[in-house]
Amino acid sequence: MFKSKFRKSIAVGTIATALLLAACGDDESAGKKEVSAENGKPVKITFWDENAGPQRTPIWEELISRFEKENPMIDVEYVGLPKDSAKSKMDAAIAADDTPDLASVQTSWLPEFSIREALLPLDDYFADSELNGMINEGALNFNKDIVADKKLYGIPYTQNLDILWVRKDWFEEKGVKIPETWDEFYAAAEAMTDKVNNRYGYTIRGGAGGSFQIQRMMYAYNGFENYLTEDGKATINDSKNVEFIEKYLSLYEDYTPKSDITNGYKEMIAGFDTGVVAMVQHNIGSFGEHKEALEEGQFQAIPLPKSEDGNYVAEGGNTIGISIFNGTDNPDEAWKFAEFLNSAASQSFWNEQVGQIPTNSDVLKEDWIQNSPHIQTAFEVYDDPNTVLYKPPFYLPEYRSILDGTVDAGIQSVMSGKASAQEFLDEWAGAMEAAQAKYSEHFGK
């Protein structure tokens, strides 16, 4: 059945301001103090959400409410961080030694945070937990593999996959084939564009986070399994990628909105949900937003086109987990909440609302998994024995800063005509190779 294949596939490849923190710490309206529950008094722990917003914040608030009912001696303070600034806010909190007790942390952040000794190893907690044997082993091993000391710093509660969302109703109206190949993708972007009626075939994420879209589309096209070769050379500026970037970014303005050059996640998704664009590359996690804006049957999730070798290609380690910060005064209470969030009931609730894949094996048996077309699309990719899962160098401390700085800015430079695709990719590759050389020198790898 799909579950066993899915497990195998993942195994191969997956501040707030000081003023806000002070406000959270001063909230003693109920006369509660941050002391150990062992003394018979309530404990307050702070949880940071790295992707807060009107769609996800209520989900966390509901889970917190459930937890507090089951654990009346623990109060959880929720702090929501905007997606595009969450990493920088956590960086600032770590630098100021003013971190929360625990947080939702993206897998790609774990290597840097662990090197900065910001996170608490969870190996012993997990070994003694009822979660042991329930959470996807491949995802857990991936989280340990990418950090220098090979310890467990995050318990993944959700798995994602990048796909294309398409306006199925528009394609049917115009008689355009929903794309399966790259040629069909480019043809559809052109055919679905109707500037007179302010409709565009596609939208490019040129603003914050554009590196995620460009990287995942590029590797889906090139079919490469290696991001860096054994001798530390990047595959980023390969001629196939130059070819892809030139063609992909040439869609800008002709078949995508002019505002794409600065559009981030919210603007990109809004363009799709409000009827401006026919296709958007994101992941299955934006299902909840599409579901609220569009009717069933209007939109559909489809896999990214296969590489010229005929294989699906996806990014390994595409998970988010719960991490506990080393500075917590209440590690046991923080773990109790982390354990609760990874229970079958909590993972099922969160992932069903958001539209992503749970990592708790018990949830994979539930009806909503079988009845969710976009989840089944994800399994179509993960269950394919020929799917290639490329592995970005998450272990490099500079990995995310290179994407957020060098790559995001480079995309805009190409879109605006200030740089060529070759120049952009050479700069990107050079930054990754330099980071790899520095890492190898320090860690002897």
Side-chain angles (χ1 to χ4, degrees):
M1 190 90 177
F2 69 82
K3 183 169 67 175
S4 60
K5 294 179 183 176
F6 174 56
R7 287 184 171 184
K8 181 179 179 181
S9 68
I10 299 181
V12 177
T14 143
I15 219 171
T17 61
L19 180 61
L20 177 58
L21 291 172
C24 293
D26 291 338
D27 182 13
E28 294 188 353
S29 59
K32 297 171 182 174
K33 299 180 180 179
E34 291 188 15
V35 294
S36 174
E38 294 180 0
N39 296 330
K41 297 180 181 179
V43 166
K44 179 185 287 183
I45 58 175
T46 302
F47 170 75
W48 282 11
D49 168 17
E50 43 70 56
N51 191 1
Q55 202 271 325
R56 297 192 182 189
T57 293
I59 301 173
W60 288 115
E61 290 175 336
E62 171 60 24
L63 289 173
I64 289 170
S65 176
R66 294 181 185 184
F67 175 78
E68 290 178 337
K69 287 178 182 178
E70 292 182 14
N71 300 273
M73 300 305 292
I74 305 176
D75 289 340
V76 180
E77 183 77 19
Y78 171 89
V79 177
L81 307 179
K83 178 182 176 68
D84 291 338
S85 60
K87 173 63 164 53
S88 63
K89 291 181 184 296
M90 289 193 191
D91 284 336
I94 293 169
D97 195 22
D98 201 3
T99 53
D101 295 277
L102 72 169
S104 175
V105 173
Q106 295 185 22
T107 297
S108 60
W109 303 350
L110 294 177
E112 179 187 346
F113 286 2
S114 64
I115 287 175
R116 296 171 71 181
E117 300 182 346
L119 301 177
L120 186 71
L122 302 177
D123 304 79
D124 291 342
Y125 278 114
F126 187 78
D128 295 335
S129 171
E130 61 183 16
L131 294 175
N132 194 355
M134 302 301 296
I135 304 300
N136 187 287
E137 185 178 359
L140 289 169
N141 288 338
F142 189 97
N143 282 5
K144 290 188 285 187
D145 186 52
I146 62 174
V147 297
D149 61 9
K150 307 305 178 186
K151 293 181 180 179
L152 181 62
Y153 290 105
I155 310 298
Y157 64 88
T158 187
Q159 168 84 12
N160 216 335
L161 178 73
D162 281 75
I163 46 90
L164 289 173
W165 290 103
V166 300
R167 283 297 302 265
K168 180 182 178 182
D169 54 342
W170 291 6
F171 276 82
E172 291 174 348
E173 288 171 7
K174 295 201 71 170
V176 176
K177 185 180 185 294
I178 291 179
E180 296 181 15
T181 68
W182 287 101
D183 285 344
E184 289 173 353
F185 164 75
Y186 287 114
E190 179 177 356
M192 297 303 294
T193 296
D194 181 2
K195 290 185 178 181
V196 173
N197 292 304
N198 194 37
R199 281 191 178 182
Y200 295 87
Y202 186 63
T203 178
I204 295 170
R205 187 174 180 176
S211 56
F212 296 112
Q213 183 185 84
I214 206 87
Q215 177 168 286
R216 291 162 184 173
M217 291 288 274
M218 187 170 74
Y219 275 84
Y221 174 82
N222 64 38
F224 298 160
E225 187 170 358
N226 294 320
Y227 195 100
L228 290 165
T229 63
E230 290 185 1
D231 60 356
K233 297 298 182 181
T235 58
I236 294 162
N237 55 346
D238 184 272
S239 60
K240 273 191 176 182
N241 293 336
V242 176
E243 174 186 283
F244 171 79
I245 293 297
E246 288 176 345
K247 189 167 186 178
Y248 180 74
L249 293 184
S250 71
L251 294 174
Y252 176 54
E253 287 198 80
D254 287 336
Y255 309 117
T256 80
K258 186 175 183 179
S259 60
D260 275 2
I261 195 167
T262 57
N263 280 353
Y265 168 76
K266 290 182 179 179
E267 296 82 7
M268 176 181 71
I269 295 301
F272 183 78
D273 289 344
T274 59
V276 177
V277 297
M279 298 186 293
V280 60
Q281 184 278 343
H282 191 238
N283 55 54
I284 57 174
S286 52
F287 167 77
E289 289 162 273
H290 304 321
K291 180 180 67 173
E292 291 181 4
L294 301 169
E295 299 294 330
E296 184 176 353
Q298 288 187 308
F299 65 105
Q300 178 183 347
I302 63 172
L304 299 184
K306 292 181 177 181
S307 69
E308 64 179 20
D309 295 329
N311 300 323
Y312 289 125
V313 182
E315 185 170 292
N318 199 348
T319 62
I320 306 174
I322 302 298
S323 295
I324 298 176
F325 282 87
N326 220 4
T328 180
D329 291 328
N330 302 293
D332 291 346
E333 288 77 11
W335 171 253
K336 194 173 186 69
F337 185 48
E339 194 173 40
F340 171 85
L341 293 176
N342 277 287
S343 67
S346 295
Q347 277 206 20
S348 179
F349 178 75
W350 194 95
N351 283 284
E352 183 176 10
Q353 303 303 311
V354 173
Q356 294 183 181
I357 306 168
T359 62
N360 189 308
S361 58
D362 276 356
V363 188
L364 298 180
K365 306 169 187 175
E366 297 184 9
D367 289 343
W368 72 266
I369 291 283
Q370 311 300 326
N371 297 327
S372 299
H374 64 288
I375 298 291
Q376 295 306 311
T377 295
F379 286 137
E380 175 187 341
V381 174
Y382 280 128
D383 287 354
D384 189 322
N386 297 314
T387 291
V388 173
L389 296 178
Y390 75 92
K391 191 174 181 180
F394 292 145
Y395 58 86
L396 296 178
E398 297 92 343
Y399 172 75
R400 273 303 297 267
S401 61
I402 291 171
L403 292 187
D404 294 343
T406 303
V407 182
D408 279 0
I411 293 168
Q412 292 182 332
S413 294
V414 178
M415 292 174 73
S416 63
K418 295 179 181 178
S420 68
Q422 185 73 65
E423 290 169 336
F424 162 53
L425 292 174
D426 283 345
E427 183 180 12
W428 181 358
M432 287 296 179
E433 290 172 355
Q436 177 63 52
K438 181 179 177 182
Y439 183 87
S440 298
E441 181 180 0
H442 185 79
F443 291 101
K445 299 179 182 180

